[in-house]
Amino acid sequence: METVMEDEEYTYRDVFLPTLIPRIPAPALERGTVERRRGRDIVIAIDHGPNSKHAFDWALIHLVRLADTLYLVHAVSSVRSEIVYEASQALMEKLSVEAFQIAMVRTMARIVSGDAGKVICKEAERVKPAAVVMGTRGRSLIQSVFQGSVSDYCVHNCKSAPVIIVPGKDAGDGSLTWN
């Protein structure tokens, strides 16, 4: 069992991805230096839903470029549960292989425990990405007002990066086609 790490506000487990994806050491340059990094860091919030996969596909086609690093973040109720961890790990491995095959990008993955909106914003603060990408759950406006929305929380509380909200699959697949 991998080590469960505890931070100030949440618990997380890093996911070790398949070895077919080359592990490239992180550059030694800081963002504030005059020299440029080769690629950007992009956080993608994922779960097991179709709208999350749609947002991931959208990011691969429209946002990601060679030499970028994707940080897949999956918020769960408990990272200590092996069943939850294994299901999340399988999803992240599948997505990381797909990201490498389609866009040839490096992928890092982390499963975090806690309120989804808060932990996504916390990961964005840690990574300092160029963007945070997430899908919608597909709720109506009235349901979102009464029950709250992770994407709405992130739009208002992620101060370290712009948040890109990709509409759900039922809004149309036209955005995923190559022209």
Side-chain angles (χ1 to χ4, degrees):
M1 182 170 147
E2 289 81 21
T3 306
V4 175
M5 305 298 291
E6 293 192 20
D7 199 348
E8 299 168 1
E9 298 178 14
Y10 65 95
T11 306
Y12 64 90
R13 284 174 79 175
D14 289 322
V15 176
F16 299 100
L17 299 173
T19 56
L20 74 102
I21 299 173
R23 299 212 183 246
I24 305 166
L29 301 176
E30 295 294 322
R31 286 197 184 278
T33 62
V34 177
E35 299 180 47
R36 281 183 75 126
R37 291 181 62 177
R38 287 180 19 137
R40 303 167 298 167
D41 295 331
I42 298 170
V43 170
I44 302 179
I46 63 163
D47 60 22
H48 294 279
N51 291 337
S52 172
K53 176 68 166 94
H54 182 74
F56 175 81
D57 292 339
W58 183 91
L60 286 183
I61 293 170
H62 295 290
L63 183 63
V64 174
R65 59 185 180 211
L66 193 63
D68 285 350
T69 301
L70 297 182
Y71 287 85
L72 304 179
V73 178
H74 185 195
V76 297
S77 57
S78 172
V79 295
R80 298 185 194 285
S81 168
E82 281 304 310
I83 295 170
V84 170
Y85 178 77
E86 288 172 8
S88 298
Q89 181 181 21
L91 172 67
M92 291 181 161
E93 286 176 358
K94 179 182 159 215
L95 294 176
S96 67
V97 169
E98 184 177 334
F100 183 73
Q101 290 173 339
I102 292 173
M104 294 182 60
V105 293
R106 176 180 180 217
T107 306
M108 307 294 286
R110 180 173 275 191
I111 301 168
V112 291
S113 177
D115 180 52
K118 290 179 182 176
V119 296
I120 291 167
C121 290
K122 180 77 172 170
E123 282 297 301
E125 287 176 26
R126 181 183 72 84
V127 174
K128 306 274 190 264
V132 176
V133 178
M134 61 180 32
T136 60
R137 185 176 285 178
R139 290 183 180 164
S140 70
L141 177 63
I142 294 172
Q143 287 174 321
S144 294
V145 168
F146 289 115
Q147 296 175 343
S149 164
V150 173
S151 56
D152 185 56
Y153 180 90
C154 290
V155 164
H156 290 94
N157 294 291
C158 277
K159 304 300 182 197
S160 57
V163 177
I164 300 171
I165 301 172
V166 180
K169 288 180 75 167
D170 52 346
D173 286 337
S175 66
L176 290 181
T177 58
W178 291 93
N179 293 333

